[in-house]
Amino acid sequence: MDRVFGRFRYVFLPSVWMLQQGSRTAQAVGLRFGCYEKAIRVEKDLRSPSRADENCFSADSAAYVSLLRECGRKKSLEIGRRVHAHIIKGGFNVGVYLGNHLILMYKKCQNVVDARRVFDRMPRRNVFSWNAMIGVYVQHRQYKEAYRLFQQMQKEGVQPDAITFVSILSSCASLDSRALGKLIHAHSLNRKHECDNVVGNALINMYWKCGSIDDACGMFAKMPARNVVSWNSMIGGYARHGHSEEAFRLLLQMHRDGVEPNDITFICILIAFASSEALALGKLVHAFIIGAGFKSDVLGNALVNM
């Protein structure tokens, strides 16, 4: 227990006194993590949450969330389950707030089954709940399950947001399904998310990974505003598909448009110049890197490999 919580001096936990004091206890009351086992037994002294006022419930929820976050950060599944059990035994209704953090804790602890169990038992879910569960499936490469959940989400009338589209587009790219990606693209258009930089970049990456160069270029051309990630996605796409001259042309255009390249930009472009045929262009990029003053170990390794 000390190994998990040793770095944290205090944690807020519910007690009768906390329930009486209200939300101020969220700032004033703490128990040492070294006494965590003893603190867990305070459940015997808890009032029923149904008799507590709203401020007290918020303070207790914040206490549990703090514990769940630390369990997730430490990837301590056993302790996370015990905190979950304490929530249930204490009579707390696992609503949206606690439910979402339970899903995230199980996600970080690599437990898909328990995350889905929490999700299914939540009496009410918001878009964050759906995104969290879709993210669990994507993280564990269960892309078809992620897409099924995306479909269920819409059937239940929950509107996807930019994060939803980014996660599900990652699934399409990993499934190498251009047709499915096109369908998600159409959904993003209907929800007016296509113009969002994050979604636009995810669409570019999806099309590149599915081998659809024209669609990637078309998406890039339509973006009303491009950030360095947009340019890197295009340069990286050209590099992966062996189009070194197009990658270099785009680097020059990026410079003309006043967009500052970063280490990722140069790593992508150097990948394109790994072949002996493109070595001359690679040397030009090397000179550009020196002139721009970029230095990093990763960039140095990319130059050596080129």
Side-chain angles (χ1 to χ4, degrees), residues 89-191:
K89 286 170 70 176
F92 280 84
N93 177 31
V94 180
V96 173
Y97 184 58
L98 279 174
N100 289 346
H101 282 89
L102 280 164
I103 293 171
L104 290 177
M105 183 273 292
Y106 284 124
K107 176 185 177 182
K108 291 175 182 176
C109 292
Q110 310 291 316
N111 190 310
V112 179
V113 174
D114 283 340
R116 184 58 192 257
R117 186 177 291 119
V118 171
F119 179 82
D120 287 338
R121 291 177 178 176
M122 288 173 69
R124 191 168 59 86
R125 300 180 284 248
N126 60 11
V127 67
F128 187 97
S129 317
W130 292 88
N131 289 346
M133 195 62 229
I134 289 171
V136 172
Y137 284 129
V138 172
Q139 177 181 300
H140 289 270
R141 301 183 180 181
Q142 297 183 26
Y143 305 118
K144 291 182 179 178
E145 288 300 323
Y147 182 65
R148 288 192 190 101
L149 206 61
F150 176 72
Q151 290 178 306
Q152 183 185 340
M153 176 185 190
Q154 293 177 94
K155 287 177 183 176
E156 295 191 18
V158 180
Q159 300 299 322
D161 63 9
I163 294 172
T164 319
F165 284 113
V166 169
S167 294
I168 210 67
L169 285 166
S170 171
S171 298
C172 298
S174 298
L175 289 169
D176 195 17
S177 176
R178 177 176 172 270
L180 187 57
K182 282 274 195 183
L183 186 62
I184 303 300
H185 190 170
H187 278 299
S188 73
L189 278 171
N190 292 337
R191 305 292 180 219

Side-chain angles (χ1 to χ4, degrees), residues 227-302:
N227 57 19
V228 67
V229 177
S230 317
W231 291 91
N232 289 349
S233 297
M234 287 298 296
I235 291 170
Y238 279 129
R240 287 192 300 272
H241 286 79
H243 300 293
S244 55
E245 290 186 9
E246 286 85 351
F248 185 65
R249 178 184 56 79
L250 208 59
L251 176 65
L252 296 177
Q253 184 184 338
M254 179 183 186
H255 181 65
R256 286 193 298 268
D257 287 0
V259 181
E260 189 74 23
N262 57 19
D263 286 1
I264 305 283
T265 314
F266 292 120
I267 290 167
C268 290
I269 200 79
L270 290 171
I271 290 170
F273 300 144
S275 65
S276 58
E277 294 83 0
L279 189 57
L281 285 175
K283 288 180 177 179
L284 285 176
V285 175
H286 189 182
F288 187 94
I289 292 170
I290 293 171
F294 280 90
K295 293 179 181 179
S296 78
D297 291 340
V298 177
L299 196 52
N301 292 336

Side-chain angles (χ1 to χ4, degrees), residues 12 15-16 36-37 45 51 62 65 101 125 141 143 187 208-209 227 237 242 251 255 262 268-269 280 304-305:
F12 300 125
S15 67
V16 172
Y36 179 76
E37 295 283 358
D45 300 320
R51 294 199 298 269
V65 165
H101 282 89
R125 300 180 284 248
R141 301 183 180 181
Y143 305 118
H187 278 299
W208 274 119
K209 288 180 179 178
N227 57 19
L251 176 65
H255 181 65
N262 57 19
C268 290
I269 200 79
V304 170
N305 291 332

Side-chain angles (χ1 to χ4, degrees), residues 42-64:
V42 300
E43 66 175 313
K44 295 177 182 179
D45 300 320
L46 291 179
R47 290 185 183 178
S48 167
S50 62
R51 294 199 298 269
D53 62 36
E54 186 175 345
N55 285 335
C56 297
F57 180 78
S58 297
D60 293 339
S61 295
Y64 285 123

